[in-house]
Amino acid sequence: MSAVKTVTDATFEVEVLKSDKPVLVDFWADWCGPCKQMAPVLDKLAQEHGEKIEVVKLNTDQNPETPRAYGVMSLPTMNLYKDGEVVKQIIGAKPKRLLEAELAEYL
């Protein structure tokens, strides 16, 4: 069972914007190879740092409104939200150590 939750356009506000801890949102699609590469990396990140940061994924093909609202143009894009605002954006697949380095102040 994955430690990464799925969010939708309908649940985004409650699950992400109103969360009491930082939330890393993985914007992905089934056809995106680099997105599939990131899935195990994000799952491990969620397992190891779940007490400090929530990791969720949003399928952009099934939920087009949220990526449009946040200007997501390439996949994978990972936005980190804190207190309802984007505080960091990471574009493209990254190894776990680089992802952790980019997110270090929140982990």
Side-chain angles (χ1 to χ4, degrees):
M1 173 106 185
S2 175
V4 178
K5 288 194 319 191
T6 297
V7 296
T8 64
D9 285 341
T11 63
F12 190 83
E13 183 177 356
V14 170
E15 299 278 344
V16 177
L17 301 180
K18 294 187 175 174
S19 176
D20 56 352
K21 61 183 171 180
V23 181
L24 183 67
V25 179
D26 173 31
F27 292 93
W28 72 285
D30 284 326
W31 49 264
C32 169
C35 298
K36 291 178 182 180
Q37 289 176 328
M38 286 305 298
V41 173
L42 292 167
D43 193 43
K44 196 169 266 300
L45 189 78
Q47 289 171 13
E48 293 176 9
H49 302 286
E51 72 286 344
K52 293 187 181 151
I53 187 172
E54 188 83 38
V55 181
V56 301
K57 62 185 190 172
L58 184 137
N59 184 311
T60 57
D61 288 338
Q62 296 169 359
N63 302 279
E65 290 167 28
T66 302
R68 190 177 311 119
Y70 287 96
V72 173
M73 303 295 277
S74 353
L75 298 179
T77 292
M78 290 152 278
N79 282 356
L80 184 66
Y81 295 82
K82 186 170 192 284
D83 301 323
E85 299 290 323
V86 178
V87 293
K88 184 169 276 298
Q89 184 175 69
I90 302 163
I91 298 173
K94 305 254 188 266
K96 182 174 170 275
R97 64 180 172 73
L98 289 180
L99 192 57
E100 285 176 324
E102 292 216 34
L103 299 171
E105 67 185 283
Y106 302 98
L107 300 179

